[in-house]
Amino acid sequence: MANNRRHQSGAVRFVPALKAVLLCALIGGSCVGYVLQKNKIFELGQQIGARQQKLEKLKKENQILADRYAAMQLPQRLAERVKELKLGLVPPQRHQIVWVSEPPPASPITNGPPAQFVQVTRKP
């Protein structure tokens, strides 16, 4: 048997070793890729959580500002503000108000353009 190994080419001796190295590299590379992907997924989950917290905070802040804005638009608050700033605004006098009456809505039957009749002739 020792004779047979001497007559074999060098490439034949290294094929099993090369296969083992390639298999180990493939498995090792897959493991490294798996760990990198898991880390990326974890980081993305952390980012999503942080952004959801920020979104909730901004929603609360937006609601507070909307409530404050609504309170500022109340007629009593506007009147107080006019007095504070001494703008001299007063409600209009009765003779200064113009009332505009709106015509009654059209009934559904008469609503729209008048009907048009089209004469259709047939050729014999």
Side-chain angles (χ1 to χ4, degrees), residues 2-66:
N3 269 342
N4 288 342
R5 287 190 179 170
R6 273 190 225 156
H7 295 296
Q8 291 178 348
S9 67
V12 174
R13 288 187 221 166
F14 295 110
V15 169
L18 185 61
K19 285 182 183 179
V21 168
L22 287 176
L23 184 63
C24 289
L26 180 67
I27 292 172
S30 298
C31 292
V32 169
Y34 177 78
V35 169
L36 289 175
Q37 287 297 319
K38 290 296 274 187
N39 285 340
K40 187 69 173 176
I41 289 170
F42 178 76
E43 289 174 7
L44 290 174
Q46 293 292 326
Q47 289 176 2
I48 288 172
R51 288 183 179 168
Q52 284 177 344
Q53 288 177 352
K54 185 177 180 181
L55 177 65
E56 291 300 320
K57 180 182 174 186
L58 289 174
K59 282 183 179 179
K60 288 179 184 176
E61 189 176 322
N62 192 24
Q63 184 62 41
I64 291 169
L65 291 174

Side-chain angles (χ1 to χ4, degrees), residues 61-112:
E61 189 176 322
N62 192 24
Q63 184 62 41
I64 291 169
L65 291 174
D67 292 342
R68 188 182 301 169
Y69 179 67
M72 292 173 78
Q73 288 183 326
L74 292 174
Q76 299 88 2
R77 178 70 180 124
L78 290 174
E80 291 173 8
R81 192 76 175 140
V82 165
K83 287 180 185 176
E84 287 175 12
L85 297 175
K86 299 177 184 174
L87 296 176
L89 298 175
V90 293
Q93 300 296 323
R94 196 160 180 84
H95 68 278
Q96 292 176 323
I97 299 174
V98 177
W99 294 95
V100 179
S101 61
E102 189 173 315
S107 65
I109 297 172
T110 61
N111 195 5

